[in-house]
Amino acid sequence: MQPVAPNSTLPARRRPRTLALELVDSLGDRIRDGRLAPGDKLPTEAAIMAEFEVSRTVVREAISKLQAAGMVETRHGIGTFVIGFSEGTGFRISAEQFSTLNDVIAVLELRIGLETEAAALAAVRRSPTNLQAMRQALDAVTQAVANGGDAIAPDFQFHLEIARATQNHHFADLMQTLGSMIIPRARLQPTTALSDALTEERSLYLRRVNGEHESIFDAIASQDPDAARAAMRTHLANSRERRRRAQQT
């Protein structure tokens, strides 16, 4: 075998995260142009893996992102179905608008205004089913952290379930429009192989975040709107301050 010349360039291997985003774009295009219409069932994981030549992990991450964007929904034991895509959505934040720390801080400020009141309403109006959905999301966060993951999808799901518990669909609709990119770490991921490993510091950070989630859940479960409002404000304000400190380093 001939040695590789010092100045030759080998093709870069695409990262799973990049592959997942490409798959989101491809499936999203099919939903937008009508090839996959509202109510249609998505192909099976195996079929998507074969067509796009990606792993099961990539397919599941892409489906999770489509769910967070409100384009599909998964019905357990049945499959994943298209909800649709509204070209007429009046308010939308694009992926490019999450590209810097300033962008992330701006969205956190928006969320403080939106989600503190959502938490208070949820405390008054939540049903046992809402509480169960929140609990399942929090358990999934805990499991993801224990397994060394970033817990972005279940983290977003927890906040979405709170919006649903307001019994005012506008809160949930807006959350789904924003999508999982509103979770700060979703758009500011490490890029080097070394930083892909979950450090002890990062693990502590995620456990602290989940402790804040538990405080929100407890207040909603106790039907205490003032405590729920305060717990949500504390959680989001802490996230904002963490980003501000990172900006200064």
Short mmCIF file of all heavy atoms in Angstrom, two decimals, residues 158-224:
data_model
loop_
_atom_site.label_atom_id
_atom_site.label_comp_id
_atom_site.label_asym_id
_atom_site.label_seq_id
_atom_site.Cartn_x
_atom_site.Cartn_y
_atom_site.Cartn_z
N PHE A 158 -39.63 17.95 29.15
CA PHE A 158 -40.13 18.39 30.45
C PHE A 158 -40.74 19.79 30.35
O PHE A 158 -41.86 20.04 30.84
CB PHE A 158 -38.99 18.38 31.48
CG PHE A 158 -39.36 18.97 32.81
CD1 PHE A 158 -40.31 18.36 33.62
CD2 PHE A 158 -38.76 20.14 33.26
CE1 PHE A 158 -40.66 18.90 34.86
CE2 PHE A 158 -39.09 20.69 34.49
CZ PHE A 158 -40.05 20.07 35.29
N HIS A 159 -40.03 20.70 29.70
CA HIS A 159 -40.55 22.06 29.56
C HIS A 159 -41.81 22.09 28.69
O HIS A 159 -42.75 22.86 28.95
CB HIS A 159 -39.47 22.98 29.00
CG HIS A 159 -38.40 23.32 29.99
ND1 HIS A 159 -38.48 24.40 30.83
CD2 HIS A 159 -37.23 22.69 30.30
CE1 HIS A 159 -37.41 24.44 31.61
NE2 HIS A 159 -36.63 23.42 31.30
N LEU A 160 -41.84 21.24 27.67
CA LEU A 160 -43.03 21.16 26.81
C LEU A 160 -44.23 20.63 27.59
O LEU A 160 -45.35 21.12 27.43
CB LEU A 160 -42.74 20.27 25.61
CG LEU A 160 -43.90 20.03 24.63
CD1 LEU A 160 -44.40 21.35 24.05
CD2 LEU A 160 -43.46 19.09 23.51
N GLU A 161 -44.01 19.65 28.46
CA GLU A 161 -45.11 19.09 29.24
C GLU A 161 -45.68 20.12 30.21
O GLU A 161 -46.88 20.13 30.51
CB GLU A 161 -44.67 17.83 29.99
CG GLU A 161 -44.28 16.66 29.11
CD GLU A 161 -45.39 16.20 28.18
OE1 GLU A 161 -46.58 16.50 28.45
OE2 GLU A 161 -45.08 15.55 27.17
N ILE A 162 -44.82 21.00 30.73
CA ILE A 162 -45.32 22.08 31.59
C ILE A 162 -46.23 22.99 30.77
O ILE A 162 -47.31 23.40 31.23
CB ILE A 162 -44.15 22.88 32.20
CG1 ILE A 162 -43.40 22.01 33.21
CG2 ILE A 162 -44.65 24.17 32.87
CD1 ILE A 162 -42.12 22.65 33.74
N ALA A 163 -45.79 23.33 29.55
CA ALA A 163 -46.62 24.17 28.68
C ALA A 163 -47.97 23.51 28.41
O ALA A 163 -49.01 24.17 28.42
CB ALA A 163 -45.87 24.46 27.38
N ARG A 164 -47.96 22.22 28.18
CA ARG A 164 -49.21 21.49 27.94
C ARG A 164 -50.11 21.51 29.16
O ARG A 164 -51.34 21.56 29.06
CB ARG A 164 -48.90 20.06 27.52
CG ARG A 164 -48.36 19.94 26.11
CD ARG A 164 -47.91 18.54 25.79
NE ARG A 164 -47.55 18.39 24.37
CZ ARG A 164 -46.81 17.41 23.88
NH1 ARG A 164 -46.32 16.48 24.71
NH2 ARG A 164 -46.53 17.36 22.60
N ALA A 165 -49.50 21.48 30.35
CA ALA A 165 -50.27 21.43 31.60
C ALA A 165 -50.99 22.75 31.89
O ALA A 165 -51.84 22.80 32.77
CB ALA A 165 -49.35 21.08 32.77
N THR A 166 -50.68 23.82 31.14
CA THR A 166 -51.42 25.07 31.30
C THR A 166 -52.85 24.93 30.79
O THR A 166 -53.71 25.76 31.11
CB THR A 166 -50.76 26.23 30.54
OG1 THR A 166 -50.84 25.98 29.12
CG2 THR A 166 -49.31 26.41 30.96
N GLN A 167 -53.09 23.88 29.98
CA GLN A 167 -54.37 23.66 29.31
C GLN A 167 -54.69 24.81 28.34
O GLN A 167 -55.84 25.01 27.97
CB GLN A 167 -55.52 23.48 30.32
CG GLN A 167 -55.23 22.54 31.46
CD GLN A 167 -54.73 21.16 31.04
OE1 GLN A 167 -55.04 20.69 29.95
NE2 GLN A 167 -53.96 20.50 31.91
N ASN A 168 -53.65 25.55 27.95
CA ASN A 168 -53.77 26.62 26.96
C ASN A 168 -52.83 26.25 25.82
O ASN A 168 -51.60 26.33 25.97
CB ASN A 168 -53.37 27.96 27.59
CG ASN A 168 -53.43 29.13 26.61
OD1 ASN A 168 -53.34 28.94 25.40
ND2 ASN A 168 -53.56 30.34 27.13
N HIS A 169 -53.40 25.82 24.71
CA HIS A 169 -52.56 25.24 23.65
C HIS A 169 -51.56 26.23 23.07
O HIS A 169 -50.57 25.82 22.46
CB HIS A 169 -53.45 24.66 22.54
CG HIS A 169 -54.13 25.69 21.69
ND1 HIS A 169 -53.53 26.25 20.57
CD2 HIS A 169 -55.35 26.29 21.80
CE1 HIS A 169 -54.35 27.12 20.03
NE2 HIS A 169 -55.46 27.17 20.74
N HIS A 170 -51.79 27.53 23.25
CA HIS A 170 -50.85 28.51 22.69
C HIS A 170 -49.46 28.38 23.33
O HIS A 170 -48.45 28.59 22.66
CB HIS A 170 -51.38 29.92 22.88
CG HIS A 170 -52.64 30.20 22.11
ND1 HIS A 170 -52.71 30.12 20.74
CD2 HIS A 170 -53.89 30.55 22.53
CE1 HIS A 170 -53.93 30.41 20.33
NE2 HIS A 170 -54.67 30.68 21.40
N PHE A 171 -49.42 28.06 24.62
CA PHE A 171 -48.12 27.87 25.28
C PHE A 171 -47.37 26.70 24.64
O PHE A 171 -46.19 26.81 24.32
CB PHE A 171 -48.30 27.62 26.78
CG PHE A 171 -48.56 28.86 27.59
CD1 PHE A 171 -49.85 29.27 27.87
CD2 PHE A 171 -47.51 29.62 28.07
CE1 PHE A 171 -50.10 30.41 28.61
CE2 PHE A 171 -47.74 30.77 28.82
CZ PHE A 171 -49.04 31.16 29.08
N ALA A 172 -48.07 25.58 24.47
CA ALA A 172 -47.43 24.40 23.89
C ALA A 172 -47.07 24.64 22.43
O ALA A 172 -46.00 24.21 21.96
CB ALA A 172 -48.35 23.18 24.02
N ASP A 173 -47.94 25.34 21.69
CA ASP A 173 -47.66 25.61 20.28
C ASP A 173 -46.39 26.44 20.14
O ASP A 173 -45.54 26.18 19.27
CB ASP A 173 -48.83 26.37 19.64
CG ASP A 173 -50.06 25.50 19.45
OD1 ASP A 173 -49.95 24.27 19.61
OD2 ASP A 173 -51.14 26.06 19.16
N LEU A 174 -46.23 27.45 21.00
CA LEU A 174 -45.04 28.30 20.92
C LEU A 174 -43.79 27.51 21.30
O LEU A 174 -42.74 27.64 20.65
CB LEU A 174 -45.20 29.53 21.81
CG LEU A 174 -44.04 30.54 21.78
CD1 LEU A 174 -43.70 30.95 20.35
CD2 LEU A 174 -44.37 31.76 22.62
N MET A 175 -43.90 26.68 22.33
CA MET A 175 -42.75 25.87 22.72
C MET A 175 -42.34 24.94 21.58
O MET A 175 -41.14 24.77 21.30
CB MET A 175 -43.07 25.06 23.97
CG MET A 175 -43.17 25.87 25.24
SD MET A 175 -41.57 26.56 25.75
CE MET A 175 -40.72 25.06 26.25
N GLN A 176 -43.31 24.34 20.91
CA GLN A 176 -42.98 23.44 19.81
C GLN A 176 -42.40 24.19 18.62
O GLN A 176 -41.55 23.68 17.90
CB GLN A 176 -44.23 22.66 19.38
CG GLN A 176 -44.63 21.61 20.40
CD GLN A 176 -45.87 20.83 19.98
OE1 GLN A 176 -46.86 21.40 19.56
NE2 GLN A 176 -45.82 19.53 20.12
N THR A 177 -42.85 25.42 18.42
CA THR A 177 -42.28 26.25 17.36
C THR A 177 -40.80 26.53 17.64
O THR A 177 -39.96 26.48 16.74
CB THR A 177 -43.04 27.58 17.24
OG1 THR A 177 -44.38 27.30 16.84
CG2 THR A 177 -42.39 28.50 16.21
N LEU A 178 -40.49 26.82 18.91
CA LEU A 178 -39.10 27.08 19.28
C LEU A 178 -38.26 25.81 19.15
O LEU A 178 -37.14 25.83 18.65
CB LEU A 178 -39.03 27.60 20.72
CG LEU A 178 -39.63 28.99 20.94
CD1 LEU A 178 -39.69 29.30 22.43
CD2 LEU A 178 -38.83 30.05 20.22
N GLY A 179 -38.80 24.67 19.61
CA GLY A 179 -38.10 23.40 19.48
C GLY A 179 -36.99 23.21 20.49
O GLY A 179 -36.71 24.06 21.33
N SER A 180 -36.31 22.07 20.40
CA SER A 180 -35.29 21.70 21.39
C SER A 180 -34.05 22.57 21.34
O SER A 180 -33.20 22.50 22.23
CB SER A 180 -34.88 20.23 21.20
OG SER A 180 -34.27 20.04 19.94
N MET A 181 -33.94 23.44 20.31
CA MET A 181 -32.79 24.34 20.25
C MET A 181 -32.80 25.34 21.41
O MET A 181 -31.79 25.97 21.70
CB MET A 181 -32.75 25.09 18.92
CG MET A 181 -32.38 24.21 17.75
SD MET A 181 -32.21 25.15 16.21
CE MET A 181 -33.88 25.76 15.98
N ILE A 182 -33.97 25.52 22.08
CA ILE A 182 -34.02 26.46 23.20
C ILE A 182 -33.24 25.95 24.39
O ILE A 182 -32.92 26.73 25.30
CB ILE A 182 -35.47 26.77 23.63
CG1 ILE A 182 -36.16 25.52 24.19
CG2 ILE A 182 -36.25 27.39 22.49
CD1 ILE A 182 -37.51 25.80 24.81
N ILE A 183 -32.93 24.65 24.44
CA ILE A 183 -32.09 24.12 25.52
C ILE A 183 -30.67 24.60 25.23
O ILE A 183 -30.10 24.25 24.20
CB ILE A 183 -32.16 22.59 25.57
CG1 ILE A 183 -33.62 22.12 25.69
CG2 ILE A 183 -31.34 22.07 26.74
CD1 ILE A 183 -34.38 22.69 26.88
N PRO A 184 -30.08 25.42 26.11
CA PRO A 184 -28.84 26.13 25.77
C PRO A 184 -27.74 25.25 25.20
O PRO A 184 -27.08 25.62 24.23
CB PRO A 184 -28.41 26.74 27.11
CG PRO A 184 -29.70 26.96 27.83
CD PRO A 184 -30.57 25.79 27.44
N ARG A 185 -27.52 24.07 25.77
CA ARG A 185 -26.41 23.25 25.30
C ARG A 185 -26.68 22.60 23.95
O ARG A 185 -25.79 22.01 23.36
CB ARG A 185 -26.07 22.18 26.34
CG ARG A 185 -27.23 21.29 26.74
CD ARG A 185 -26.88 20.50 28.00
NE ARG A 185 -27.96 19.61 28.41
CZ ARG A 185 -28.99 19.98 29.13
NH1 ARG A 185 -29.10 21.23 29.54
NH2 ARG A 185 -29.93 19.10 29.47
N ALA A 186 -27.92 22.72 23.42
CA ALA A 186 -28.25 22.10 22.14
C ALA A 186 -27.54 22.77 20.97
O ALA A 186 -27.30 22.14 19.95
CB ALA A 186 -29.76 22.15 21.89
N ARG A 187 -27.18 24.06 21.10
CA ARG A 187 -26.57 24.77 19.98
C ARG A 187 -25.11 25.11 20.21
O ARG A 187 -24.46 25.63 19.32
CB ARG A 187 -27.33 26.08 19.71
CG ARG A 187 -28.78 25.88 19.34
CD ARG A 187 -28.96 25.01 18.13
NE ARG A 187 -28.25 25.50 16.96
CZ ARG A 187 -28.23 24.87 15.80
NH1 ARG A 187 -28.82 23.73 15.65
NH2 ARG A 187 -27.55 25.38 14.80
N LEU A 188 -24.60 24.83 21.40
CA LEU A 188 -23.22 25.19 21.70
C LEU A 188 -22.45 23.95 22.15
O LEU A 188 -21.96 23.86 23.25
CB LEU A 188 -23.19 26.28 22.79
CG LEU A 188 -23.89 27.58 22.40
CD1 LEU A 188 -23.98 28.51 23.60
CD2 LEU A 188 -23.17 28.27 21.25
N GLN A 189 -22.41 22.96 21.28
CA GLN A 189 -21.78 21.70 21.61
C GLN A 189 -20.27 21.77 21.42
O GLN A 189 -19.77 22.48 20.55
CB GLN A 189 -22.34 20.59 20.72
CG GLN A 189 -23.81 20.27 21.00
CD GLN A 189 -23.99 19.58 22.32
OE1 GLN A 189 -23.06 19.04 22.90
NE2 GLN A 189 -25.20 19.62 22.85
N PRO A 190 -19.50 20.98 22.19
CA PRO A 190 -18.06 20.90 21.97
C PRO A 190 -17.78 20.34 20.58
O PRO A 190 -18.56 19.57 20.05
CB PRO A 190 -17.59 19.91 23.05
CG PRO A 190 -18.70 19.81 24.03
CD PRO A 190 -19.96 20.12 23.28
N THR A 191 -16.64 20.71 20.01
CA THR A 191 -16.34 20.25 18.66
C THR A 191 -15.16 19.30 18.61
O THR A 191 -14.95 18.63 17.61
CB THR A 191 -16.04 21.46 17.76
OG1 THR A 191 -14.99 22.22 18.35
CG2 THR A 191 -17.27 22.35 17.61
N THR A 192 -14.35 19.21 19.64
CA THR A 192 -13.20 18.32 19.60
C THR A 192 -13.55 16.97 20.18
O THR A 192 -14.46 16.83 20.99
CB THR A 192 -12.04 18.93 20.40
OG1 THR A 192 -12.40 18.98 21.78
CG2 THR A 192 -11.71 20.32 19.92
N ALA A 193 -12.78 15.95 19.77
CA ALA A 193 -13.04 14.61 20.27
C ALA A 193 -12.85 14.54 21.78
O ALA A 193 -13.59 13.86 22.48
CB ALA A 193 -12.09 13.62 19.56
N LEU A 194 -11.87 15.27 22.28
CA LEU A 194 -11.60 15.23 23.71
C LEU A 194 -12.77 15.78 24.50
O LEU A 194 -13.17 15.23 25.52
CB LEU A 194 -10.34 16.05 24.01
CG LEU A 194 -9.92 16.13 25.50
CD1 LEU A 194 -9.61 14.73 26.03
CD2 LEU A 194 -8.71 17.05 25.66
N SER A 195 -13.39 16.86 24.00
CA SER A 195 -14.46 17.50 24.75
C SER A 195 -15.77 16.74 24.64
O SER A 195 -16.74 17.06 25.31
CB SER A 195 -14.66 18.94 24.27
OG SER A 195 -15.00 18.96 22.90
N ASP A 196 -15.80 15.70 23.76
CA ASP A 196 -17.01 14.89 23.66
C ASP A 196 -17.23 14.07 24.94
O ASP A 196 -18.34 13.65 25.23
CB ASP A 196 -16.94 13.95 22.45
CG ASP A 196 -17.22 14.69 21.16
OD1 ASP A 196 -17.81 15.77 21.22
OD2 ASP A 196 -16.84 14.15 20.11
N ALA A 197 -16.19 13.79 25.66
CA ALA A 197 -16.32 13.02 26.90
C ALA A 197 -16.99 13.88 27.95
O ALA A 197 -16.71 15.06 28.09
CB ALA A 197 -14.94 12.59 27.37
N LEU A 198 -17.92 13.28 28.67
CA LEU A 198 -18.64 14.01 29.72
C LEU A 198 -17.73 14.15 30.93
O LEU A 198 -17.44 13.19 31.62
CB LEU A 198 -19.91 13.24 30.09
CG LEU A 198 -20.86 13.95 31.05
CD1 LEU A 198 -21.46 15.18 30.37
CD2 LEU A 198 -21.97 13.02 31.49
N THR A 199 -17.26 15.36 31.18
CA THR A 199 -16.37 15.59 32.31
C THR A 199 -17.16 15.60 33.60
O THR A 199 -18.38 15.73 33.62
CB THR A 199 -15.65 16.94 32.15
OG1 THR A 199 -16.64 17.98 32.20
CG2 THR A 199 -14.90 17.02 30.84
N GLU A 200 -16.43 15.47 34.72
CA GLU A 200 -17.08 15.50 36.02
C GLU A 200 -17.77 16.85 36.23
O GLU A 200 -18.87 16.92 36.78
CB GLU A 200 -16.05 15.25 37.13
CG GLU A 200 -16.65 15.25 38.54
CD GLU A 200 -17.69 14.17 38.73
OE1 GLU A 200 -17.67 13.16 37.99
OE2 GLU A 200 -18.55 14.32 39.62
N GLU A 201 -17.12 17.92 35.77
CA GLU A 201 -17.71 19.25 35.92
C GLU A 201 -19.04 19.35 35.17
O GLU A 201 -20.03 19.89 35.68
CB GLU A 201 -16.74 20.32 35.41
CG GLU A 201 -17.28 21.74 35.53
CD GLU A 201 -16.30 22.78 35.00
OE1 GLU A 201 -15.22 22.37 34.52
OE2 GLU A 201 -16.64 23.96 35.04
N ARG A 202 -19.05 18.81 33.97
CA ARG A 202 -20.28 18.85 33.17
C ARG A 202 -21.36 17.98 33.80
O ARG A 202 -22.54 18.32 33.81
CB ARG A 202 -19.97 18.38 31.75
CG ARG A 202 -21.17 18.48 30.79
CD ARG A 202 -20.69 18.28 29.37
NE ARG A 202 -21.81 18.21 28.44
CZ ARG A 202 -22.47 19.28 28.00
NH1 ARG A 202 -22.16 20.47 28.42
NH2 ARG A 202 -23.46 19.15 27.13
N SER A 203 -20.95 16.84 34.33
CA SER A 203 -21.90 15.96 35.01
C SER A 203 -22.54 16.65 36.21
O SER A 203 -23.74 16.57 36.44
CB SER A 203 -21.21 14.67 35.45
OG SER A 203 -22.11 13.81 36.09
N LEU A 204 -21.72 17.37 36.98
CA LEU A 204 -22.24 18.12 38.12
C LEU A 204 -23.21 19.20 37.66
O LEU A 204 -24.25 19.44 38.30
CB LEU A 204 -21.09 18.74 38.91
CG LEU A 204 -20.24 17.77 39.75
CD1 LEU A 204 -19.01 18.49 40.31
CD2 LEU A 204 -21.06 17.18 40.89
N TYR A 205 -22.87 19.85 36.56
CA TYR A 205 -23.74 20.89 36.02
C TYR A 205 -25.11 20.31 35.65
O TYR A 205 -26.16 20.88 35.99
CB TYR A 205 -23.08 21.53 34.79
CG TYR A 205 -24.05 22.21 33.86
CD1 TYR A 205 -24.64 23.42 34.20
CD2 TYR A 205 -24.38 21.63 32.63
CE1 TYR A 205 -25.54 24.04 33.34
CE2 TYR A 205 -25.28 22.24 31.78
CZ TYR A 205 -25.85 23.45 32.14
OH TYR A 205 -26.75 24.04 31.28
N LEU A 206 -25.12 19.17 34.96
CA LEU A 206 -26.38 18.57 34.54
C LEU A 206 -27.20 18.11 35.74
O LEU A 206 -28.43 18.23 35.74
CB LEU A 206 -26.11 17.40 33.58
CG LEU A 206 -25.55 17.80 32.21
CD1 LEU A 206 -25.21 16.56 31.39
CD2 LEU A 206 -26.54 18.67 31.44
N ARG A 207 -26.53 17.62 36.77
CA ARG A 207 -27.26 17.21 37.98
C ARG A 207 -27.86 18.43 38.68
O ARG A 207 -28.97 18.37 39.22
CB ARG A 207 -26.35 16.42 38.91
CG ARG A 207 -26.04 15.00 38.40
CD ARG A 207 -25.52 14.12 39.52
NE ARG A 207 -24.19 14.47 39.94
CZ ARG A 207 -23.08 13.96 39.42
NH1 ARG A 207 -23.15 13.10 38.42
NH2 ARG A 207 -21.89 14.32 39.87
N ARG A 208 -27.14 19.54 38.64
CA ARG A 208 -27.66 20.78 39.25
C ARG A 208 -28.90 21.26 38.48
O ARG A 208 -29.90 21.66 39.09
CB ARG A 208 -26.57 21.86 39.24
CG ARG A 208 -26.94 23.12 40.02
CD ARG A 208 -25.83 24.15 39.95
NE ARG A 208 -24.53 23.58 40.31
CZ ARG A 208 -23.48 23.53 39.49
NH1 ARG A 208 -23.58 23.99 38.26
NH2 ARG A 208 -22.35 23.02 39.90
N VAL A 209 -28.81 21.20 37.17
CA VAL A 209 -29.96 21.59 36.35
C VAL A 209 -31.16 20.71 36.66
O VAL A 209 -32.29 21.18 36.80
CB VAL A 209 -29.60 21.51 34.85
CG1 VAL A 209 -30.85 21.59 33.98
CG2 VAL A 209 -28.63 22.62 34.47
N ASN A 210 -30.91 19.42 36.80
CA ASN A 210 -32.03 18.52 37.07
C ASN A 210 -32.59 18.75 38.47
O ASN A 210 -33.79 18.56 38.70
CB ASN A 210 -31.60 17.05 36.91
CG ASN A 210 -32.76 16.19 36.46
OD1 ASN A 210 -33.66 16.66 35.77
ND2 ASN A 210 -32.76 14.92 36.86
N GLY A 211 -31.75 19.17 39.42
CA GLY A 211 -32.26 19.53 40.73
C GLY A 211 -33.21 20.72 40.63
O GLY A 211 -34.24 20.77 41.33
N GLU A 212 -32.89 21.67 39.76
CA GLU A 212 -33.78 22.81 39.53
C GLU A 212 -35.10 22.33 38.91
O GLU A 212 -36.18 22.82 39.26
CB GLU A 212 -33.09 23.83 38.63
CG GLU A 212 -31.88 24.49 39.29
CD GLU A 212 -31.04 25.32 38.32
OE1 GLU A 212 -31.42 25.42 37.13
OE2 GLU A 212 -30.01 25.87 38.74
N HIS A 213 -35.00 21.38 38.00
CA HIS A 213 -36.22 20.79 37.41
C HIS A 213 -37.10 20.17 38.49
O HIS A 213 -38.33 20.32 38.47
CB HIS A 213 -35.84 19.70 36.40
CG HIS A 213 -35.30 20.23 35.12
ND1 HIS A 213 -34.51 19.45 34.27
CD2 HIS A 213 -35.41 21.42 34.50
CE1 HIS A 213 -34.18 20.15 33.21
NE2 HIS A 213 -34.71 21.37 33.32
N GLU A 214 -36.48 19.45 39.40
CA GLU A 214 -37.25 18.79 40.46
C GLU A 214 -37.99 19.81 41.33
O GLU A 214 -39.12 19.58 41.76
CB GLU A 214 -36.34 17.93 41.33
CG GLU A 214 -35.76 16.71 40.63
CD GLU A 214 -36.78 15.61 40.37
OE1 GLU A 214 -37.92 15.70 40.89
OE2 GLU A 214 -36.45 14.65 39.65
N SER A 215 -37.37 20.95 41.58
CA SER A 215 -38.02 22.00 42.37
C SER A 215 -39.25 22.54 41.64
O SER A 215 -40.29 22.79 42.26
CB SER A 215 -37.04 23.15 42.64
OG SER A 215 -35.97 22.71 43.46
N ILE A 216 -39.13 22.69 40.32
CA ILE A 216 -40.28 23.13 39.53
C ILE A 216 -41.39 22.09 39.61
O ILE A 216 -42.57 22.41 39.83
CB ILE A 216 -39.86 23.37 38.07
CG1 ILE A 216 -38.82 24.48 37.97
CG2 ILE A 216 -41.08 23.70 37.21
CD1 ILE A 216 -38.12 24.55 36.62
N PHE A 217 -41.02 20.84 39.41
CA PHE A 217 -42.01 19.76 39.44
C PHE A 217 -42.72 19.69 40.79
O PHE A 217 -43.96 19.57 40.85
CB PHE A 217 -41.33 18.42 39.14
CG PHE A 217 -42.26 17.24 39.24
CD1 PHE A 217 -43.09 16.90 38.18
CD2 PHE A 217 -42.31 16.48 40.39
CE1 PHE A 217 -43.96 15.82 38.28
CE2 PHE A 217 -43.17 15.39 40.50
CZ PHE A 217 -44.00 15.06 39.43
N ASP A 218 -41.97 19.77 41.87
CA ASP A 218 -42.56 19.69 43.21
C ASP A 218 -43.58 20.81 43.43
O ASP A 218 -44.65 20.58 44.01
CB ASP A 218 -41.48 19.77 44.28
CG ASP A 218 -40.62 18.51 44.34
OD1 ASP A 218 -41.05 17.48 43.77
OD2 ASP A 218 -39.53 18.56 44.94
N ALA A 219 -43.26 22.02 42.97
CA ALA A 219 -44.18 23.15 43.15
C ALA A 219 -45.46 22.95 42.33
O ALA A 219 -46.56 23.24 42.80
CB ALA A 219 -43.50 24.45 42.76
N ILE A 220 -45.31 22.43 41.10
CA ILE A 220 -46.49 22.18 40.27
C ILE A 220 -47.32 21.05 40.88
O ILE A 220 -48.56 21.14 40.94
CB ILE A 220 -46.07 21.85 38.82
CG1 ILE A 220 -45.44 23.08 38.17
CG2 ILE A 220 -47.25 21.35 38.00
CD1 ILE A 220 -44.86 22.83 36.79
N ALA A 221 -46.65 20.00 41.33
CA ALA A 221 -47.37 18.89 41.95
C ALA A 221 -48.12 19.35 43.19
O ALA A 221 -49.22 18.85 43.49
CB ALA A 221 -46.40 17.77 42.30
N SER A 222 -47.56 20.30 43.93
CA SER A 222 -48.18 20.81 45.16
C SER A 222 -49.24 21.87 44.87
O SER A 222 -49.83 22.41 45.80
CB SER A 222 -47.10 21.41 46.07
OG SER A 222 -46.15 20.44 46.45
N GLN A 223 -49.44 22.18 43.60
CA GLN A 223 -50.42 23.19 43.17
C GLN A 223 -50.15 24.54 43.84
O GLN A 223 -51.06 25.21 44.31
CB GLN A 223 -51.85 22.71 43.44
CG GLN A 223 -52.22 21.49 42.62
CD GLN A 223 -53.70 21.14 42.73
OE1 GLN A 223 -54.17 20.78 43.80
NE2 GLN A 223 -54.41 21.24 41.61
N ASP A 224 -48.87 24.93 43.84
CA ASP A 224 -48.45 26.19 44.42
C ASP A 224 -47.94 27.09 43.29
O ASP A 224 -46.77 27.02 42.90
CB ASP A 224 -47.34 25.95 45.45
CG ASP A 224 -46.95 27.19 46.22
OD1 ASP A 224 -47.17 28.30 45.69
OD2 ASP A 224 -46.41 27.06 47.34
#
